[in-house]
């Protein structure tokens, strides 16, 4: 077995080492799911068909969003950032393994571990208290693919932010900007279908839409047939673009590390 499956396996073990912590985070996500559900119920009571959603779609979206917050890692960066700040990344760059692929394997395992520990409780609570849409097996399979692509896009964004530390020497500003953009344009605060006019069009074309809005729409059955293919292609395109940008930044960062005498 190659090095990257081992990286993923040990990362999965590390992120599942404290299940009680994961359950506590899941309960927090569930509590916020109820808060957001009641807010959206009030909003949809005034606008019953806002953005093509009905109130059941809106409530399902609220709990589904809370289930996806951990896997796509809307807030929080990569541990790579600290290694860049401390200089330990020099060791990583001298390993006979690709830096980007190493952290991608780590992040995919983190996403799976977080989904298993934190994804279920919000949805279960929503089903017990509200009327929640439950998709069929085919839609669930498409949803699983959309979530995986969302994790890839999320990694691409956070990897680029982490590598920015090579030039800025401090990631806090980039992290703050990334957090604000992710919360606003992913659909976390409000479904992007509720955004008006050109703002809505712009929001649904940006990469953050691939994190939550697209998987949620797939789960709700808003994308079928050719529309489903286009939605998944949208996610895949942004994943490729961001991973390619991360590859270019890695090469530039390696040269910069050598130039600076690292």
């Amino acid at each position: 077995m190659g090095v990257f499956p081992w990286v993923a396996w040990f990362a999965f073990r590390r992120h599942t080492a404290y299940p009680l912590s994961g359950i506590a985070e899941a309960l927090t996500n569930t509590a916020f799911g109820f808060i957001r559900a009641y807010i959206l119920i009030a909003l949809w009571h005034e606008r019953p068909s806002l953005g093509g959603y009905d109130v059941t779609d809106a409530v399902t979206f609220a709990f589904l969003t809370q289930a996806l917050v951990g896997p796509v890692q809307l807030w929080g960066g990569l541990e790579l950032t600290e290694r860049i700040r401390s200089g330990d990344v020099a060791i990583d760059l001298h390993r006979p393994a690709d830096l980007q692929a190493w952290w991608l394997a780590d992040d995919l395992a983190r996403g799976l571990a977080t989904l298993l520990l934190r994804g279920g409780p919000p949805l279960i609570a929503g089903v017990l208290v509200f009327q929640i849409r439950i998709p069929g097996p085919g839609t669930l399979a498409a949803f699983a693919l959309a979530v995986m692509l969302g994790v890839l896009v999320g990694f691409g964004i956070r990897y680029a932010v982490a590598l920015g530390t090579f030039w800025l020497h401090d990631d806090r500003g980039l992290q703050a900007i990334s957090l604000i953009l992710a919360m606003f344009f992913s659909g976390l605060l409000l479904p992007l279908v509720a955004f008006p006019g050109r703002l809505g069009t712009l929001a649904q074309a940006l990469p953050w839409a691939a994190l939550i809005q697209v998987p949620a729409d797939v789960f709700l059955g808003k994308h079928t047939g050719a529309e489903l293919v286009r939605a998944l292609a949208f996610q895949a395109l942004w994943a490729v673009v961001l991973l390619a940008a991360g590859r270019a930044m890695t090469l530039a960062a390696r040269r910069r590390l050598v130039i600076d005498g690292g």
Side-chain angles (χ1 to χ4, degrees):
M1 186 166 61
V3 63
F4 298 118
W6 281 112
V7 171
W9 169 242
F10 285 111
F12 180 82
R13 291 182 59 187
R14 178 162 56 91
H15 287 288
T16 56
Y18 302 100
L20 290 181
S21 175
I23 293 173
E25 291 174 335
L27 293 177
T28 301
N29 290 145
T30 303
F32 276 104
F34 279 102
I35 294 171
R36 295 184 65 237
Y38 283 116
I39 292 173
L40 293 180
I41 288 172
L43 176 60
W44 257 260
H45 178 72
E46 298 295 326
R47 301 285 299 276
S49 59
L50 181 61
Y53 279 25
D54 59 23
V55 68
T56 301
D57 292 331
V59 171
T60 304
F61 185 93
F63 286 100
L64 185 62
T65 299
Q66 293 305 125
L68 292 177
V69 163
V72 301
Q73 194 78 341
L74 279 186
W75 44 75
L78 295 173
E79 295 173 17
L80 172 62
T81 302
E82 184 57 37
R83 295 187 66 79
I84 295 173
R85 293 176 62 184
S86 67
D88 290 340
V89 70
I91 299 172
D92 300 338
L93 289 171
H94 279 86
R95 287 179 179 145
D98 182 77
L99 181 72
Q100 186 183 34
W102 180 289
W103 286 99
L104 176 58
D106 180 276
D107 199 61
L108 289 175
R110 177 210 56 79
L112 176 60
T114 308
L115 181 64
L116 293 176
L117 290 175
R118 296 171 56 181
L123 288 176
I124 293 172
V127 169
L128 293 176
V129 178
F130 298 98
Q131 181 181 356
I132 298 293
R133 296 205 186 281
I134 305 298
T139 301
L140 283 176
F143 170 70
L145 178 57
V147 171
M148 186 186 73
L149 290 171
V151 172
L152 284 176
V153 173
F155 168 79
I157 294 171
R158 288 179 290 112
Y159 185 78
V161 170
L163 289 190
T165 311
F166 272 105
W167 289 270
L168 299 178
H169 307 296
D170 192 333
D171 68 309
R172 285 175 292 184
L174 282 178
Q175 291 285 4
I177 294 171
S178 179
L179 172 61
I180 292 170
L181 291 173
M183 291 181 66
F184 189 75
F185 287 115
S186 67
L188 176 66
L189 298 180
L190 186 69
L192 299 185
V193 296
F195 283 26
R198 293 181 180 178
L199 178 60
T201 301
L202 173 64
Q204 297 198 53
L206 293 174
W208 295 279
L211 302 180
I212 285 182
Q213 186 65 52
V214 173
D217 280 340
V218 171
F219 186 92
L220 292 171
K222 301 299 181 181
H223 297 307
T224 58
E227 285 189 12
L228 176 60
V229 174
R230 284 194 292 269
L232 296 176
F234 167 80
Q235 290 182 290
L237 176 61
W238 271 117
V240 170
V241 169
L242 290 167
L243 291 175
R247 172 68 59 188
M249 291 181 69
T250 302
L251 295 175
R254 184 186 295 273
R255 289 194 296 270
R256 180 174 180 83
L257 186 65
V258 172
I259 290 171
D260 287 348

